[in-house]
Amino acid sequence: MNLIKEDIRKLPFEILIDQKTISERVAELGSEITADYTGKKLVLLGVLKGCIVFMTDLMREIDLLLEIEFISASSYKTGTKQDSNMTISPVSTLSLAGKHVLIVEGIVDSGDTSVAIIEEIEKMEPASLEMVTLLDKPTSHRNKLDIKYKGFTIGNKFVIGYGLDNTQLYRNLPFIGKVAD
Ligand code: IMP
Ligand code: MG
């Protein structure tokens, strides 16, 4: 890939999880989800934009009738404080009552995004609510979180590729790269 040769100078990174390892793990998650939701009405609720590559691969590994929906979460820093207010959209047009909702995340870091999304979705009274994330950084969690399905657990490092960005770039890398410190 030319992208790698050129951008490696701008943003040095090394491959952390290669394509084959990702696709094998995504297939395993798909089988697990298929078994767990057999006979149920499943909705995959992707959290943009980081979910995009993972979700399109994962949905093709799930052998069930399912619907897909997307939401996005943005945080606005309030003043000079560390705290930020999370805005989830679009919530009003989603109809999730009585459905089995599986939130699909690319990565969970502090867990703030996941907590805000879970809070909003719970108000819609789904039949069940669980989460799948490709990557989890458990040592970075600031919240108590119960993530049912995890692709890989990684340390507190910044990663790009397979949907994940640095300044909106590198989402199209087919592997997970670890950015050099
Ligand atoms: P949170 O801290 O769990 O709320 O994560 C917030 C968002 O930060 C995630 O949904 C990602 O979009 C982004 N993020 C966190 N860690 C990384 C990373 O290592 N690479 C790229 N994006 C990240
Ligand atoms: Mg980002």
Side-chain angles (χ1 to χ4, degrees):
M1 271 178 113
N2 287 327
L3 171 67
I4 298 173
K5 277 188 204 144
E6 288 189 13
D7 280 358
I8 205 152
R9 271 171 263 136
K10 297 180 206 150
L11 186 77
F13 64 85
E14 58 193 50
I15 295 179
L16 182 68
I17 309 173
D18 64 30
Q19 277 172 272
K20 184 168 177 283
T21 308
I22 296 171
S23 69
E24 285 170 1
R25 185 68 189 122
V26 171
E28 283 173 6
L29 288 171
S31 301
E32 222 181 303
I33 292 164
T34 302
D36 291 353
Y37 287 90
T38 299
K40 292 179 176 162
K41 196 166 187 171
L42 177 62
V43 181
L44 297 181
L45 180 63
V47 183
L48 294 171
K49 302 176 192 167
C51 73
I52 182 81
V53 181
F54 176 44
M55 178 131 154
T56 53
D57 281 349
L58 179 67
M59 64 191 273
R60 287 175 287 178
E61 298 290 349
I62 299 175
D63 188 13
L64 297 171
L65 294 173
L66 58 81
E67 296 174 34
I68 62 167
E69 296 288 353
F70 293 95
I71 48 172
S72 47
S74 24
S75 58
Y76 300 95
K77 298 267 182 259
T78 49
T80 53
K81 284 186 199 151
Q82 275 282 305
D83 307 325
S84 56
N85 285 327
M86 202 74 69
T87 309
I88 313 293
S89 64
V91 156
S92 53
T93 57
L94 290 173
S95 110
L96 301 174
K99 295 179 183 172
H100 294 274
V101 178
L102 181 59
I103 298 167
V104 183
E105 265 282 15
I107 189 162
V108 176
D109 186 14
S110 70
D112 290 354
T113 308
S114 306
V115 164
I117 290 170
I118 289 167
E119 243 175 55
E120 278 306 313
I121 303 304
E122 266 174 353
K123 290 182 199 161
M124 298 180 192
E125 304 187 339
S128 70
L129 184 58
E130 298 291 353
M131 177 173 299
V132 56
T133 187
L134 179 73
L135 301 176
D136 185 31
K137 297 183 185 177
T139 57
S140 305
H141 289 190
R142 276 198 296 243
N143 304 272
K144 200 189 161 303
L145 265 181
D146 187 14
I147 305 171
K148 183 151 186 194
Y149 309 96
K150 290 179 193 187
F152 305 92
T153 291
I154 61 169
N156 189 8
K157 54 189 114 191
F158 197 81
V159 293
I160 52 172
Y162 200 72
L164 302 176
D165 74 304
N166 177 263
T167 65
Q168 298 302 329
L169 301 174
Y170 310 104
R171 293 191 198 274
N172 56 323
L173 291 174
F175 49 77
I176 302 286
K178 171 189 174 304
V179 176
D181 307 306

